[in-house]
Amino acid sequence: MLTAVIALAGLGLLGSLGLAIAARVFAVETDPKAEAIEEVLPGANCGACGKPGCFDLAREIARGNAEIDACPVGGQKVAEAIGKIMGVDFSGGGERYVALVLCAGDNKEAIKKYHYNGIYDCVSADMFFGGDKACSYGCLGLGTCAGACPFGAIDILPEGIARVDSDKCTGCGKCVEACPKGIIKLVPAGRNVHILCSSHDKGAAARKNCRVACIGCQKCVKAAPEGAIHMDDFLAVINYDAEIPESVAGECPMGTIKVFKAEDSAGQEAAGGGS
Amino acid sequence: MAGGFFGGVHPEYNKKLASGKSIEVMPLPEQLTVYFSQNLGAPAKAVVKKGDEVKKGQVIAEPGGFVSTPVHSPTSGKIKSTGFYPSPVGTLMEAAVIIPDGEDEWEEGCDRERDISGLRSEEIKDIVKEAGIVGMGGATFPTHVKLSPPEDKPIDILILNGAECEPYLTSDHRLMLEKTEEILEGASLFARAINVKNIVVAIEENKPDAIEKMREAVEGRDGFSVEPMKVIYPQGAEKQLIYSITGRKVPAGGLPMEAGALVQNVGTCLAAFEAAGLTRPLIQRVVTVTGSGIENPGNVLARVGTPFKDIIDFCGGMSDDTAKVISGGPMMGISQYSLDSAVNKGTSGIVLLKAGEVAQFENEPCIRCGRCLTACPMNLNPSALSIFAERMRYEETEEYGVMDCIECGSCAYVCPSKRPLVQHFKRAKAEIRNRSKKAG
Amino acid sequence: MEDEMKDKDRKSGSGKNETERKEAGKDKTSPKPPEKKKKEPFRERFIVSSSPHIHDGRTTSGIMRLVIFALLPAALFSIYIFGVTSLRVIVISICSALIFELVALRIMNRPVSIRDGSAFLTGLLLALNLPPGSPWWLVVTGNFFAIVVAKQIFGGLGYNPFNPALIGRVVLLVSFPVHMTRWVAPSAWGADAVTTATPLGRMAESLDRLGHIDMDLFRELFSREDIINLLIGNRAGSIGEVSIILLAAGGIFLIAKKVISWHIPVSFIGSVWLLTGIFYAIDPAHYINPTFHVLTGGLFLGAIFMATDYVTSPMTSSGKIIFGIGCGVITVLIRLFGVYPEGVSFAILLMNAATPLIDRYTKPKVFGAREAA
C-alpha cells in the first residue's frame, strides 16, 4: 500500500515538474497588450469582426491593424475597455444593431406549394423550387439561421418561422450570411417601425400566397416623410436612417408594418411580428 | 460481357404497366412552354420575343456557347410571352410560351428527305448540332460535343444505351421495338462521325423482345452486335455500362472518351436519323406516363413544351390520391409540385405514385450498417459522406469523393434509417462548386 | 409517326384539373385587412423530396426484429435447460433495458425511439451473456451501464463506440466476479440446479493448478458424447452461449437474410481455431486442442451476434475480416496467457476501439480513381 502511494505521488511530482519546466522553456512570446485585450473580448470566436477568432482580433488591435471597436458583439463597453488598454480615449457612439427576420408569413398566414420531405435545413429545401412556401421570398422556417447563430439567439417558432431574440442578439451577422433567402437584416436597435415582408411579387400574386404580404400599394410611402420608405419592385423598404412616425403602420391595409423597438424582444412578440 | 459491376440494387421494376403499350401520338396542347435551357452546359439565348410568329422547326433560341444547343419551336404559332416559368428540374427557367395556330406548318427547308449515305463526318456533326440534339436518356448533354473528342482520345467503341435501368420507364424499350431500323441508321451516322467500326447495342435482359428484334435488325450490318445485359440498377449509367461491356473504367472526374468509348441513348440515335434523313430538328420525344396514379399508363409521343397536365389528361387523368409526380424515373427523377411544368428534351417519363409507394425520408442517425457501401456503383462511402455533409464538413466530403457521386440513389434506396443521402450529396456538391467559383 | 400528328382541337374543359378549379373559386384581393379565417391548403397537393422516390422497405426496426428472431431458438433452449431462472433474467433484462432507454431519452429531451427495437435487442443480448441464476439487481445494473452509459450518453443509436451489451457484461464481470462466474449445471427445466464450472473454466483451473493439461479431465469433458453436448448446449455456461447448433442456425439465417455478412463470424472463429491449433501443434501438453476452444466459451455467441453489431464494427468487407482476425487473436491471447478463462468480450471491445481506424484504412477505392502520381 505504501509503495503504491509513494509511487503515484512520485509520478505526479515528476509530471508537474516536467510541465513547469516546459512552460518556461517552450514559452511563446506574447504581447501583453494582446493578452489583455483578449481577456476583455467576449470570447465567442464568432468571426463577425472578420478575423477567425478573438485571439486574432486582439493581436491585430494590439498591433494597430484593427479598429478598437472592431468587435460588434462587445459593443460600446468592450470598445471602451480596449481603448483603456491601448491608451486611447474611446468615445465613439457605436450604435447597436440587431438582426431582424423580414418576414411574418408563418404557417397561419402563408400557404405552401407542396409537402417537403427531406433535410431539415433551409438551404437544402431551397434547392427544390425555392422551398415549400408558395411565396418564393419567404422564410422557410427550417432553422439554418438558428444553427448558424453562435449565441442561440434565433428561435424557430412552432408556427414555422424564424424570430430573432433581440435580448441575446449581438449583431454579429452570421445569420444574415446563412439565410438562403437573404431576408435577415441588421437594423439599428432603437428603430421601431418595420416592414416584415421581403416579397417582390406583384400585389395580387403576393396576396394569394400570404395574408400579411406587402402588396406594393405605396400607402406607407405616401404617409411617411419623404425618402423614409422607398419601393423596390412592389416591395416597400424602410430606410433605417430616417425617423418614421408610428402612425404609418396604421396605413398598411395588410398589417405588414409592425411597431416595436428592434431591441425589445417582448415588444416584438406582443406586436405579433413573426408569429 | 468483359467487365463487371460494382454494387447496384434491384428495385421493383413495374415496367409491365407500360411496356406493352405501343407509342401513341398526342394532339397539340393549348399552349406549349418551351424552355431555353434544355441541355447540360450553357443555356440557349432567345431570338424571339412576345408577339413573334413562328413556324414549326424554327430556331427560337441560339446556342449560348460551345457546350450548348439551339432550341426549335415545336409547332407553328405565336409567341404569347417569354419569361421565367417553373421547370421540371426544380428551378424557374426562361422559356417561351407558344400558342399553336393549328396549322402545324414546318419551316422552309425542314421535313424533306435526304440521302444520308454520303454524309461526311463534319456534316453529320453540323446537322446534329443544328438540330439541337442532346442526350435523350435524361442527361441532355449536347451530342455534337460528344462527337468531337480531342485528337489524343481516340474512340474505338460506340455503345447504344438501350439498358433503360430505371423502374417504370419503357420509352426506350418501345422505341427499340417500333423504330428499330431508324435507331440503327442514326447509330451508323454517329459511328461514321467519329470513325468507329465497333457498335454494341446494350439491352437489359428484362426486354427479351427488344433483344430479339435488334438481333434480327443488326444482321447484315457490319460492326453491329447486340449485348444482353444483366438486370441491375444502374446498369444504364454511362460509366457502369462502359465497364460492364468493355472492362474499362472511366477515370474519376473524367469523360467516357478517356476510356475510348462513346455512349448514346437509343432515342438520341433516332433523333439523329430524323435530323439527317428527314431534316427535322428535335422537337418531340417519347415520354412514358406511368405509375399507380395514372388512369391509362402508356408511352406518349409528345412535343417538347407540352405541359405535364395535358399529357396526364391525355392518359386518362390522375387519381385523387396521387402523392408524387416525378419527372423522369423514380430513382433519379425530380418530384414536381406543379403540373404546369412542361416536357423538355430530357423528360423520359412521368411517374405518378401514391402515398404508400413513396419513400419517406427521416433524419435519423446512421446505424453504420454498410448497406450503402455495398450498393454504391462508384465504390464510395455514402455513410461517411452523409455524416460529413450533415456536419457541414465539406472539405472532407470532397476528400471522400462526393464529386464522383452519380446521384443514382442506390444508397438511399437501401438505407434502413431512411436518410436523405442523395440530398446531402447534392448539397455538398453545390457548396463545393460555390467555393471553387468564389476562389476563382 | 410525325405525319400522324394532326392539328386536333384541344378538348375543352378536360384540360382543367382539380387544382385550377379550386383556384378559380378563391376570394379576390380585398383592400381591407383580411379576416383571419382558416384557409384550406389548396396548393399543398404533392410531396416534393430529393430522389430516390422509392425504398426497398428494410428498416432499422425490421433488422432488429430479424436479429431477435434469430436469437429466439437459443434463448428458448436456455429456458428449457436452465429453467425459470433463465426466463426471469431475460425478462428483467429486456424490461430494464427498455425502461432505461425511455427514461434516458426523456431526460435528454430526445425523440423517444424505443420502438426501433435496439434497446430490446441489447437487453436480450445482455441477458444471454449472463449466468442463469443472476440476481435481479445484477441484471438491472448491467442494463444501466449498457443502455445509459454505453449508448445514450454517447448520443444514442449510431453513436456508441462500444458494443453496449458487452460493456454491461464487462462492467459486471469486473465489479461482481463471483456472481458472474456462478454457473449452473443444465438439467431439463432447471430441476435441481447444481453449481458447477464451465468446461473452459475447469480446464483453465486445472491447468493453473497442475501446470499442465490434465488429460483425464480433458477426456472426461471432451469425449464423443460431450462434443455433442457442447454442440447442443448440454453444458454450463451463460444463458445464450451454450447451444452452438442453435446459435449457428441463427447465424446462417441472418446471413441468408443479408442482415449480417459472413466475414466477421468466419474470420473470428477461424482465427481462433487456427491460432489455438498452432499452439496445440507445438505443445499439446500445455495447450488444449482447437476444436475444444471453438466449441466452448462464448465464442459462437460473440462472433455471430456481438461482433457483428453494425454500429461498432467496420463497414467494408476487408475491414470486417481484419476486425474478425483481431478479435480472434486477442481472444486466444487472453484465454491462453491472460487471467480470464474467457476472452471474447474483451477482445470484441478492444477491436471496437479500433473500428474507426480500420474503416479509415480500408476506405474503398473510388471507381476509376487515378493512381496517386
Side-chain angles (χ1 to χ4, degrees), chain A residues 64-113:
Chain A
N65 294 341
E67 293 297 323
I68 291 185
D69 58 351
C71 174
V73 178
Q76 182 80 351
K77 286 228 299 268
V78 167
E80 281 176 2
I82 295 179
K84 271 209 210 102
I85 295 171
M86 294 297 290
V88 170
D89 207 8
F90 182 78
S91 54
E95 189 167 7
R96 183 184 166 210
Y97 280 79
V98 288
L100 186 60
V101 177
L102 296 181
C103 176
D106 58 24
N107 295 342
K108 294 200 276 211
E109 311 288 0
I111 55 172
K112 295 200 194 236
K113 2 191 231 285

Side-chain angles (χ1 to χ4, degrees), chain C residues 25-358:
Chain C
K26 282 298 167 196
D27 52 50
K28 317 261 185 301
T29 312
S30 72
K32 297 205 197 66
E35 290 159 76
K36 307 282 189 194
K37 59 180 184 285
K38 219 44 171 104
K39 266 195 178 183
E40 300 91 38
F42 68 86
R43 280 210 217 175
E44 264 178 287
R45 183 86 204 264
F46 301 121
I47 302 174
V48 170
S49 76
S50 166
S51 58
H53 306 283
I54 49 177
H55 189 267
D56 81 341
R58 180 154 279 189
T59 58
T60 311
S61 45
I63 291 174
M64 299 294 165
R65 270 196 293 271
L66 285 170
V67 178
I68 293 168
F69 186 70
L71 281 169
L72 272 184
L76 290 172
F77 181 76
S78 78
I79 299 174
Y80 166 67
I81 56 161
F82 292 123
V84 169
T85 56
S86 173
L87 178 63
R88 207 185 59 204
V89 169
I90 295 176
V91 168
I92 294 178
S93 187
I94 293 176
C95 288
S96 52
L98 287 169
I99 293 173
F100 277 127
E101 175 131 306
L102 184 68
V103 172
L105 288 171
R106 281 263 159 79
I107 292 181
M108 294 182 186
N109 253 330
R110 281 197 229 130
V112 173
S113 57
I114 53 173
R115 233 172 261 167
D116 68 10
S118 61
F120 189 102
L121 183 59
T122 304
L124 178 59
L125 279 172
L126 180 61
L128 296 180
N129 270 294
L130 298 176
S134 303
W136 68 268
W137 53 266
L138 192 78
V139 179
V140 172
T141 309
N143 273 297
F144 174 77
F145 282 97
I147 299 286
V148 179
V149 176
K151 186 173 158 199
Q152 291 305 339
I153 287 195
F154 283 98
L157 184 63
Y159 296 108
N160 46 294
F162 295 105
N163 187 317
L166 281 180
I167 291 282
R169 179 189 206 248
V170 160
V171 166
L172 292 178
L173 184 63
V174 168
S175 316
F176 308 106
V178 177
H179 287 95
M180 286 297 286
T181 50
R182 184 177 290 151
W183 309 109
V184 180
S187 52
W189 300 109
D192 316 324
V194 172
T195 324
T196 180
T198 61
L200 200 57
R202 288 177 73 185
M203 286 304 300
E205 192 267 332
S206 79
L207 183 63
D208 254 352
R209 195 167 26 92
L210 301 171
H212 64 87
I213 307 270
D214 180 349
M215 288 314 284
D216 297 313
L217 180 63
F218 181 65
R219 259 176 251 119
E220 181 202 325
L221 291 170
F222 213 50
S223 66
R224 172 144 305 185
E225 303 90 67
D226 283 285
I227 297 186
I228 298 186
N229 278 338
L230 284 174
L231 282 170
I232 298 176
N234 196 0
R235 60 169 164 116
S238 71
I239 293 177
E241 76 180 37
V242 289
S243 176
I244 308 278
I245 288 195
L246 292 178
L247 289 169
I252 292 174
F253 170 73
L254 288 180
I255 294 176
K257 278 286 188 181
K258 300 218 169 105
V259 174
I260 63 176
S261 70
W262 59 264
H263 302 83
I264 293 179
V266 168
S267 57
F268 193 166
I269 296 173
S271 55
V272 168
W273 188 83
L274 204 64
L275 204 54
T276 51
I278 292 173
F279 278 100
Y280 176 70
I282 298 175
D283 188 359
H286 287 99
Y287 297 103
I288 317 173
N289 98 33
T291 318
F292 181 83
H293 269 287
V294 165
L295 295 180
T296 57
L299 181 62
F300 263 73
L301 179 65
I304 297 176
F305 293 96
M306 316 292 296
T308 53
D309 173 45
Y310 291 149
V311 183
T312 52
S313 61
M315 289 196 284
T316 57
S317 303
S318 47
K320 287 181 176 148
I321 293 187
I322 296 174
F323 183 84
I325 293 176
C327 285
V329 168
I330 299 178
T331 302
V332 171
L333 289 176
I334 295 179
R335 276 193 188 177
L336 299 186
F337 306 111
V339 176
Y340 291 95
E342 176 51 275
V344 171
S345 316
F346 294 107
I348 296 176
L349 287 177
L350 285 167
M351 289 310 290
N352 283 161
T355 293
L357 200 67
I358 295 175

Side-chain angles (χ1 to χ4, degrees), chain B residues 30 102 252 303 320 324 330 415, chain C residues 5 7 10 18 49 53 55 368:
Chain B
E30 258 169 22
R303 305 278 169 104
D320 278 341
K324 237 183 195 176
C415 176
Chain C
M5 191 94 113
D7 48 328
R10 271 219 86 251
E18 207 184 299
S49 76
H53 306 283
H55 189 267

Side-chain angles (χ1 to χ4, degrees), chain A residues 125-213:
Chain A
D126 191 43
M127 286 163 58
F128 296 96
F129 305 99
D132 61 352
K133 243 197 177 88
C135 168
S136 56
Y137 304 91
C139 167
L140 295 175
L142 292 173
T144 302
C145 52
C149 176
F151 305 98
I154 304 188
D155 298 309
I156 303 298
L157 303 176
E159 297 88 27
I161 198 168
R163 190 174 65 205
V164 176
D165 181 356
S166 41
D167 290 336
K168 298 192 186 137
C169 175
T170 62
C172 74
K174 290 255 129 141
C175 54
V176 178
E177 267 178 61
C179 174
K181 299 288 183 188
I183 57 174
I184 306 185
K185 298 271 186 311
L186 286 175
V187 305
R191 292 278 173 249
N192 63 349
V193 178
H194 310 284
I195 297 178
L196 293 185
C197 179
S198 307
S199 165
H200 296 270
D201 281 332
K202 275 203 197 129
R207 172 69 180 81
K208 206 156 48 154
N209 295 337
C210 174
R211 290 193 298 205
V212 287

